[in-house]
């Protein structure tokens, strides 16, 4: 009887999760479907499948690529995402290692400061942040990587700290006896052990930075457009007319890289999150 109850419970959970997955995937499917329809029919029948009359082939993709400066925005977003994620991983991993291994009031306060930063809404600090960034000339593609480092440090330090606590200190002491300095110990001994959490932090921050609209718009404006900003601006026509076909096509092209990156690395997400949470 207990076996049957367990099977029934698992079946209910599976059905609920399947329904939730379908609900989350419906918007993506609608964007993909409408990207192949003529823009004249998208507003009138957004839920209808393309037919002989409404199907436009790859016209929307060609128009979007030619009118929005997509490739330049793509390369700019790629640069910002890669270097921001690298900075976040290296700096927060080293900070977490320092917090765990050097136990004093300063590191304890530092840890709680990072944890507190996770609950502060971005909207609370965005105006002050924009003014400071402009004042110190960080309003460029290099400066914004440091801004992302600041906003992404809280969650990353929290996750890395939990994982570092589970790393045996004896292997670090053995490396020190063999003559390794602290940097060599970290990058040659500790950092490879952090691989699951490194990949998890990379995925979470990559999805956030790649899809972020508000921060690049505030810091870079329209002179150095990232993909979200470029899509929003370029698809606006005269008198408020919007090329929804090109808009949908650009959305599809924009989400392909991050979905591909996620699918290639998804097996590490649960492992990294659980390891960091349990040991924290």
């Amino acid at each position: 009887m207990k076996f049957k109850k367990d099977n029934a419970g698992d079946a209910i959970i599976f059905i609920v999760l399947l329904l939730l997955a379908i609900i989350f995937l419906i918007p993506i499917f609608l964007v993909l479907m409408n990207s192949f329809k003529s823009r004249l029919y998208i507003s009138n029948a957004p839920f209808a499948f393309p037919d002989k009359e409404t199907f436009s082939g790859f016209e929307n993709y060609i128009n979007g690529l030619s009118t929005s400066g997509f490739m330049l925005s793509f390369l700019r977003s790629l640069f910002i995402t890669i270097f921001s994620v690298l900075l976040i991983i290296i700096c927060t991993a080293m900070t977490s290692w320092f917090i765990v291994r050097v136990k004093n009031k300063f590191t304890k306060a530092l840890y709680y400061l990072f944890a507190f930063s996770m609950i502060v809404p971005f909207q609370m600090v965005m105006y002050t942040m924009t003014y400071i960034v402009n004042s110190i000339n960080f309003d460029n593609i290099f400066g914004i990587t440091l801004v992302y480092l600041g906003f992404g440090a809280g969650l990353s330090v929290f996750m890395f700290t939990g994982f570092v606590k589970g790393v045996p200190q004896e292997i670090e002491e053995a490396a020190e006896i063999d003559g390794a300095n602290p940097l060599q110990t970290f990058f040659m001994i500790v950092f490879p052990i952090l691989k699951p959490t490194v990949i998890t932090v990379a995925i979470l921050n990559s999805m956030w930075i790649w899809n972020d609209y508000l921060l690049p718009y505030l810091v870079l404006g329209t002179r150095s457009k990232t993909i979200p900003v470029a899509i929003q601006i370029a698809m606006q026509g005269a008198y408020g007319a919007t090329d929804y076909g090109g808009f949908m096509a650009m959305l599809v092209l924009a989400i392909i890289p991050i979905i591909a990156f996620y699918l290639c690395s998804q097996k590490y997400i649960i492992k990294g999150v659980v390891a960091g949470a349990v040991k924290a």
Side-chain angles (χ1 to χ4, degrees):
M1 181 67 68
K2 183 178 179 181
F3 180 74
K4 292 183 178 180
K5 288 182 178 180
D6 292 340
N7 286 343
D10 292 341
I12 293 174
I13 293 175
F14 175 78
I15 293 173
V16 172
L17 293 177
L18 181 62
L19 291 175
L20 289 175
I22 293 173
I23 292 173
F24 278 105
L25 289 175
I26 285 176
I28 299 177
F29 175 75
L30 289 176
V31 170
L32 178 63
M33 181 180 67
N34 284 300
S35 68
F36 291 99
K37 292 163 62 176
S38 175
R39 62 180 180 178
L40 300 176
Y41 298 95
I42 294 177
S43 299
N44 296 331
F47 300 104
F49 286 94
D51 53 27
K52 292 181 180 180
E53 183 182 1
T54 62
F55 184 70
S56 63
F58 291 96
E59 179 183 353
N60 291 327
Y61 291 87
I62 296 173
N63 291 337
L65 287 171
S66 61
T67 59
S68 65
F70 178 83
M71 291 308 301
L72 184 59
S73 299
F74 179 90
L75 294 175
R76 190 179 292 116
S77 290
L78 189 64
F79 175 87
I80 293 173
T81 302
I82 291 176
F83 281 91
S84 297
V85 171
L86 286 176
L87 274 176
I88 290 172
I89 289 174
I90 294 174
C91 294
T92 58
M94 295 181 71
T95 301
S96 301
W97 183 55
F98 174 78
I99 289 174
V100 173
R101 294 297 183 244
V102 182
K103 297 180 180 179
N104 54 39
K105 293 182 179 180
F106 171 74
T107 57
K108 187 175 182 180
L110 187 63
Y111 174 76
Y112 285 118
L113 182 64
F114 280 113
F116 175 75
S117 68
M118 292 191 297
I119 64 175
V120 178
F122 173 74
Q123 290 77 8
M124 182 181 294
V125 299
M126 65 180 184
Y127 292 111
T128 307
M129 179 274 301
T130 305
Y131 175 78
I132 295 175
V133 167
N134 291 332
S135 300
I136 61 179
N137 297 321
F138 272 18
D139 50 348
N140 51 69
I141 61 174
F142 299 100
I144 196 174
T145 59
L146 298 175
V147 178
Y148 274 121
L149 170 61
F151 282 105
L155 177 62
S156 302
V157 166
F158 177 79
M159 295 182 65
F160 275 124
T161 300
F163 196 90
V164 171
K165 289 180 180 179
V167 177
Q169 194 167 355
E170 288 77 10
I171 61 175
E172 300 176 30
E173 295 173 350
E176 184 178 355
I177 293 174
D178 290 338
N181 58 44
L183 284 177
Q184 290 174 328
T185 300
F186 175 77
F187 284 106
M188 298 177 65
I189 305 298
V190 179
F191 194 73
I193 301 176
L194 301 178
K195 182 180 177 181
T197 306
V198 167
I199 296 178
T200 303
V201 170
I203 293 172
L204 295 177
N205 284 288
S206 295
M207 291 190 294
W208 159 51
I209 297 172
W210 182 268
N211 295 317
D212 190 23
Y213 169 82
L214 186 56
L215 183 57
Y217 185 77
L218 292 174
V219 175
L220 302 177
T222 58
R223 67 186 184 279
S224 299
K225 298 187 291 291
T226 57
I227 283 182
V229 178
I231 293 174
Q232 191 274 334
I233 293 176
M235 290 300 112
Q236 296 294 326
Y239 305 104
T242 303
D243 181 6
Y244 285 108
F247 185 79
M248 298 296 176
M250 292 302 96
L251 288 177
V252 172
L253 292 175
I255 65 177
I256 287 176
I258 202 67
I259 289 179
F261 177 60
Y262 172 81
L263 291 176
C264 293
S265 308
Q266 62 176 333
K267 64 180 181 180
Y268 295 100
I269 291 183
I270 297 178
K271 184 189 298 184
V273 172
V274 171
V278 171
K279 294 168 186 171

